[in-house]
Amino acid sequence: MVTVLDSVVQGTGPACEKRNIQLQPEQLDCGAAHLQHPLAIVNPVTATPIFTYSGLTAVAVASVNNYTVVFLGTASGGLLKINLDSTMKVISRRSISVAYGEPVHPIMQFDPSDSTYLYLMTSYQMTRVKVAACSQYSTCRECLAAADAYCGWCTMETRCSLQHECTNFTGTNFWASVSEGVEQCPSMTILEPEINIDKENPALIIQINGTIPNLNGTNISCDYGNNIHTVARVAGDYVNQFIYCSLLPREKYPAFPDDQDHVVVEASLRVNNKNIIRANFTIYDCKRIVTIYPRRACTSCLSARWKCHWCPSAYSCVSNHSQCEDALWMEQKKMDCPRIVPAPLEPMPTGVSRNIMISLANATFPKETALECHFGTDGTFEARWVNSSAVECVHVLLHTSEKSHRFPVNLQLKDKPDRFIDSPEMMTVEVYNCATGSADCSQCLGREDLGHRCLWSEGSSSCRLQTEPPQLPEACPAPEIRKIEPLRGPLEGGTLLTIRGRNLGRRFSDVVGAVRVGAVPCAPLPHRYVVSETVVCQTGEAPEAFSDVVTVNVSREGRSRERFSYVLPVVQSITPLNGPKAGGTRVTIRGSRLDVGSELRVLINSSKQCTDLSRSDSTITCTMPAVELTSAVPVCVQFENKSCASHNITFKYEKNPVISDISPKKSQISGGRIITLEGRGFGLVQNVSMAVRGIGREHTPAPVDFYLNGRLYTDERSALDQELYPEEALPISKFSLGYYADPQFSTAKKEKWIKHHPGEPLTLVIHKEPDSLGLESNEYQVKIGLISCEIQIVSDKVIHCSINESLSSSERQLPVTIQVGKFNYTIAMLHLGGGETAIIVSIVICSILLVLSVVALFVFCTKSRRAERYWQKTLLQMEEMESQIREEIRKGFAELQTDMTDLTKELNRSQGIPFLEYKHFVTRTFFPKCSSLYEECYILPSQQLSSQLGSQVQETHPLLVGEWKIPENCRPNMEEGISLFSTLLNNKHFLIVFVHALEQQKDFAVRDRCNLASLLTIALHGKLEYYTSIMKDLLVDLIDASASKNPKLMLRRTESVVEKMLTNWMSICMYSYLRETVGEPFFLLICAIKQQINKGSIDAITGKARYTLNEEWLLRENIEAKPRNLNVSFQGCGMDSLSVRAMDTDTLSQVKEKILEAFCKNVPYSQWPRVEDVDLEWFATSTDSYILRDLDDTSVVEDGRKKLNTLAHYKIPEGASLAMSLTDKKDTTLSRVKDLDTEKYFHLVLPTDESVEHKKSHRQSHRKKVLPEIYLTRLLSTKGTLQKFLDDLFKAILSIRDDKPPVAVKYFFDFLEEQAEKRGITDPDTLHIWKTNSLPLRFWVNILKNPQFVFDIDKTDHIDACLSVIAQAFIDACSLSDLQLGKDSPTNKLLYAKEIPEYRKIVQRYYKQIHDMPPLSEQEMNAHLAEESRKYRNEFNTNVAMAEIYKYAKRYRPQIVAALDANPTTKRTQLQHKFEQVIALMEDNIYESCSEA
């Protein structure tokens, strides 16, 4: 009962109150989707479902021929047809796919004009489907067995059809329906199906069966094929119809097969020129039996299927006994035939004569009948009658070259060689040859069991015939074991051990109990034993692992040279650990000694086997079977069908991957288009392939099947369908590809020839005909010959491409081809013009060359003397220059040999390394340059230095301030807003949508992205586990975006938020490793570079030095510099006086820097006095002293420029006494020296020496100029001096301490490998580049170039230049691309070109060591991250970071809200409303009342 209630939704109103109705929620849903008023079911109706199926969306019902046919539309785009009988029982079910994944609309109706068609709709199409496809059934039995109510057999048209499609279907028996059953299918029976060929005037009598209309009055005949027809007539009544046909004429009988005595003929009943039913009959000929079976003619005649009789006198088989007086009837037994009684005969040796006795049965021949013994092709021998039932073959001599051969024994009449006495069971005699097939003694003597009398001759090592019985039993040599396999087996035994050799027993009984492995018996297998050569035995169980020889004791003992080992195979792990339940996952089981034994099985859940096994010592690889349920199942590795060798090894079956969509959904008919799959669970997929079924006409969708891990992909709904009705389930493809005509292209003017002049740029305009393929620009490829044409513009109608390089080819014509997938089309030919011009130009050039040759000859003759004089002068200059070059190289070599010793002696900085605190390391790394958020990244207070210089001045940074400074009246709302915003940022869905929304904004620059990433790192520093999970999710999105383009470019630059987050994450995780392992060699390298630079002259203004690693900073002048050891006193840094080494070419500022470095070497640089804060005073005598400055009244002016004062300028001698003191009055005569105007000042080199060379006075002419490239040898000198320190640094970076890499490196490298495997990226180069971009280039190169991030030191521009060269060498070492170096290559790359290959090996070994380490669990990594968070818990002001992140949130508020609304998860959890609450709390405060904060 269904009642309409107005207020039933609320459950109130008079209807509810009066009747006290209490309804369940499911009762309220009735009709809500279709009716204006909901229906409430007061009395629920119960019924038993006729048919159950998941995902039904539409229904249509028809009644046909007393059957009910139900059509059901499904959510997967399928149409089900259910046939129900009168009892509503399902008798058949069919399904077709009509929409490939789109649900069928609920409205589904039959065609009003033709009820045999059904209309159904989906979201994008309407389809008219025929209710039955009867034509698919070719026979009546198939048609009626299909149990389709619409289909029946149209007898007179011999086809399956709908009833109204059959002619005269209203007549009786013209159309057979399903209800009549397959028994009523029309057929005919031939009443005499076997006909003798000798029968006169034969005829066929045919009985009609099944559903056939009355044939009276129709045109009927019998059809025998080959256009042979005979007249037929109808007899009998309508119920029992008979047809009489004349047999086909004798001359038209078909030919008998050579080996048969009969032939089968098909006869069809032809009605109205159409064959409607058919049957077979047989024509036989008894006379052919003698020819077919000559050696058993009588027996075969009497046992034939036909009525045949044997005539002994005529030795013939006849069909009529009247043809022979002494005929043997068919009813008589075939045993009455004269025949040979088979008896076993003793084997006889080859070439030896012997008599053979043959017994006969039913021998009715007189004794005078001459017989012959016939032994196949070896000839005949005389036969002698012994008695009436025995014949002896006399002096039979047979030969064979085989080990043994059986000859047939037959008797034939001597005067009639074609007549044989029957031998129903073929009698044979064995002839053997001792000399063949016996390679050793055991094989020879072992033939005794076969009746072969053979004897072994040890002298000649041959087997021969035994002529007389031996006196003593012969003995064979000891067994010789040549090979055993396998060489290892499990302790439990069961291994099938194969032993090959010689003299391994004469018979199987010899080796029973004779085989042992050490003391363990091995049981031989009789069916695998080969006399003397091979023994296969099953090893017994061993108590412990051991190795010993195999022995075979056959009267004598033979021992193997190889040893068989009993070992214990160990199974350790299985990878991958999970896979889809559909199976197909290729797993690798790792362990040791896994290749032992002869038989291996891998059982899954103790029932199913892992297939396609292959194994080695350490691995077993196999393919997992399919299972029904998702669960973790045990994996059992069985050796020799014994117990499991694996314990606690499990494999988890996950839900099958789901393919939700494919793109594109169209393809050109030539194919080759790349198809992208979308879905989930692809991490379980190891390989994928696709198959397109039934590619037919254009524009017709072709079903597409996908194979994941080699298994056909079906969605869960289809799988359920097959489980419910496996016998009727049809494969339905969820996806399809629309095939369209190949795209059409032409040139702009549709010309076939294009002229082009070589050397000029070429731009092609290609016209494209409109199509529906929706091709992307990267799917086109245009080539001219073999050169690719770069595509610039792609639209629906036009493609522009250009070639900037010169087109040069030996051929004058090049094809212009365009390729889309596998479609390749030549649209035109490019003709390289200019041939005529080239001929003209060649003639002109030849003429000019001829004239020039005449002129040159004249000039040569007139100036030969002048040239000779000039040559003599040049030789003198070259000798002088060569002498200077030799001197410079000799000096460089001496420096290279001595500097290593000197530097090692002077360098002792391993103590007191000035590491920065963690918080300063973080702020310098995260915010390397000034940000838009702050005026300065670091706020350094002015240095107020006391005489003690001991008070350290701390850096300050807004994120390091302990308290969040905001006005008190704004604090409550702001703190609440920041707290709520912090909660949102700790929601993974919000944070990921937040980051993606900001990155999609065009004005959100790279600088903003990096700043946001650093602020997020500070804000989430206390929850590094959560921060890591966010970073991984964002990285997965980045990898997906990169994998579809060029995966090798991923992480190369920092252009996204997640890339900067990765840099920060590496910095946090690697800080401890950097400080404990890499810090010391890195600091020593920096000190070594600084000392090496200071050993030579340095131009204070240009920064160029005598010693450097960077060519651009090399001082290319031969400046003579001498060292000066100065005695300096300075009240500070804990020391009063020191001896300081300087160069006489040093400016006074350079001297001050060296003095400060000597006095403050154990003090952080931030606590050093600055050069401008100290004065340097020279005590020339006890009474005279001078304040030394870079510029004063004594400075020299040269070429209009002031030269900076040096120690040589003041003529300060060796051992001079100097005093340095702090001054309150700074020297303001000059700013930083390197910032001076080079037009007014210089130090060592005049910058414009070369440009004013012609203005030099005569007094400068004595200066010798040398090629500046000669000083490049100093780069090698510096490199050799620093090489040890550089090697130590690279070794520290690229080595694993205590066999354990940094946790972050192992974890992240495993993550990259996992992502590559999920996406099917198998190129090792791609994975190498990912690892290099994430660790060496992202972290180490940043540290190498910026030591001030790690140490409290002064990084000068020159040190920065040297570190750049070292960093470039490190980059080249991590790169995979070969260095293409030549004489013109930059020296920065040439300098370390020799070492790069060795460094690359170190990098690759480092990556491999990390890869081979055991994987790191999530728990271990989270514990490590939690420890890092705890260690630096209160270092940063997260409120300030949150406030700065909020500024971005406020700036892009609409875009963030829109993104939150668009995301289903964030929308469902209403995160956009919480974000609006943050805006409401913060907006007025931060930007109005509290703007000063």
Side-chain angles (χ1 to χ4, degrees), residues 1068-1141:
I1068 292 172
C1069 296
M1070 296 294 290
Y1071 175 74
S1072 299
Y1073 185 83
L1074 173 63
R1075 182 158 184 160
E1076 295 169 7
T1077 306
V1078 182
E1080 180 177 337
F1082 187 26
F1083 185 74
L1084 289 177
L1085 174 63
I1086 296 170
C1087 295
I1089 292 173
K1090 193 167 186 179
Q1091 287 206 22
Q1092 180 65 10
I1093 293 173
N1094 289 338
K1095 286 175 69 72
S1097 302
I1098 306 173
D1099 193 298
I1101 293 180
T1102 64
K1104 295 185 177 182
R1106 175 184 178 91
Y1107 298 108
T1108 183
L1109 291 174
N1110 197 313
E1111 179 186 6
E1112 295 178 2
W1113 292 77
L1114 177 64
L1115 186 62
R1116 298 180 185 238
E1117 291 287 343
N1118 191 11
I1119 305 297
E1120 293 293 331
K1122 297 179 181 178
R1124 292 282 188 270
N1125 291 309
L1126 308 175
N1127 295 317
V1128 183
S1129 63
F1130 178 47
Q1131 298 299 321
C1133 300
M1135 293 175 286
D1136 293 331
S1137 62
L1138 281 175
S1139 177
V1140 179
R1141 183 174 183 268

Side-chain angles (χ1 to χ4, degrees), residues 792-849:
Q792 306 290 342
I793 301 173
V794 175
S795 67
D796 292 339
K797 297 182 179 180
V798 178
I799 299 173
H800 286 245
C801 75
S802 61
I803 293 181
N804 294 324
E805 60 183 290
S806 176
L807 287 171
S808 58
S809 173
S810 58
E811 301 178 3
R812 307 302 298 173
Q813 298 174 2
L814 297 173
V816 179
T817 58
I818 185 166
Q819 183 171 351
V820 178
K822 293 183 179 179
F823 174 66
N824 200 323
Y825 179 64
T826 300
I827 58 177
M829 296 296 293
L830 185 73
H831 180 71
L832 298 177
E836 301 83 356
T837 306
I839 296 174
I840 297 172
V841 171
S842 300
I843 295 173
V844 173
I845 291 175
C846 291
S847 303
I848 294 174
L849 287 176

Side-chain angles (χ1 to χ4, degrees), residues 237-463:
D237 55 15
Y238 173 70
V239 178
N240 297 306
Q241 295 188 77
F242 292 90
I243 306 295
Y244 291 87
C245 279
S246 299
L247 196 63
L248 70 168
R250 176 68 179 268
E251 64 273 10
K252 293 186 178 181
Y253 282 3
F256 284 75
D258 292 338
D259 58 346
Q260 289 185 14
D261 59 355
H262 65 282
V263 62
V264 178
V265 182
E266 182 183 79
S268 300
L269 183 62
R270 190 174 184 85
V271 180
N272 296 332
N273 298 319
K274 188 173 185 65
N275 295 343
I276 61 170
I277 49 178
R278 57 183 52 83
N280 294 337
F281 66 93
T282 304
I283 301 174
Y284 65 89
D285 184 3
C286 295
K287 297 187 294 297
R288 290 179 54 83
I289 294 178
V290 177
T291 306
I292 297 172
Y293 309 105
R295 286 171 175 75
R296 46 189 177 93
C298 176
T299 307
S300 299
C301 179
L302 296 182
S303 59
R305 292 165 51 193
W306 337 112
K307 296 179 180 180
C308 296
H309 311 278
W310 179 251
C311 184
S313 59
Y315 196 79
S316 62
C317 186
V318 296
S319 57
N320 191 340
H321 62 85
S322 61
Q323 298 173 353
C324 180
E325 295 179 355
D326 57 348
L328 293 177
W329 290 56
M330 184 177 179
E331 287 75 10
Q332 293 179 275
K333 296 180 181 179
K334 58 184 179 181
M335 299 296 291
D336 294 337
C337 291
R339 57 187 177 85
I340 297 175
V341 179
L345 299 176
E346 181 183 354
M348 57 185 295
T350 182
V352 177
S353 175
R354 178 180 295 176
N355 296 339
I356 296 177
M357 186 71 67
I358 300 176
S359 298
L360 300 177
N362 303 324
T364 57
F365 307 101
K367 282 194 174 183
E368 59 271 13
T369 303
L371 301 176
E372 286 182 334
C373 296
H374 189 272
F375 295 90
T377 57
D378 265 30
T380 58
F381 298 90
E382 180 185 354
R384 185 174 60 200
W385 285 93
V386 178
N387 52 44
S388 61
S389 61
V391 174
E392 184 178 34
C393 300
V394 183
H395 303 307
V396 177
L397 183 64
L398 300 175
H399 299 271
T400 182
S401 60
E402 301 173 6
K403 179 179 179 181
S404 173
H405 184 80
R406 287 193 170 272
F407 291 88
V409 179
N410 290 291
L411 286 175
Q412 63 184 17
L413 301 181
K414 188 172 185 180
D415 53 345
K416 297 179 180 178
D418 58 338
R419 296 187 179 184
F420 291 85
I421 296 178
D422 273 20
S423 180
E425 300 175 16
M426 182 58 66
M427 182 176 173
T428 60
V429 60
E430 181 186 8
V431 179
Y432 63 89
N433 189 339
C434 290
T436 303
S438 301
D440 57 37
C441 176
S442 294
Q443 285 185 343
C444 181
L445 301 184
R447 297 175 66 168
E448 179 183 359
D449 296 346
L450 302 176
H452 301 178
R453 297 194 301 275
C454 297
L455 183 68
W456 178 257
S457 172
E458 193 65 42
S460 60
S461 296
S462 62
C463 187

Side-chain angles (χ1 to χ4, degrees), residues 140 438 627 656 793 816 904 934 978 1011 1224 1428 1482:
C140 177
S438 301
V627 298
N656 290 331
I793 301 173
V816 179
T904 306
Y934 315 111
I978 288 299
N1011 195 54
D1224 293 334
E1428 292 297 314
M1482 298 287 292

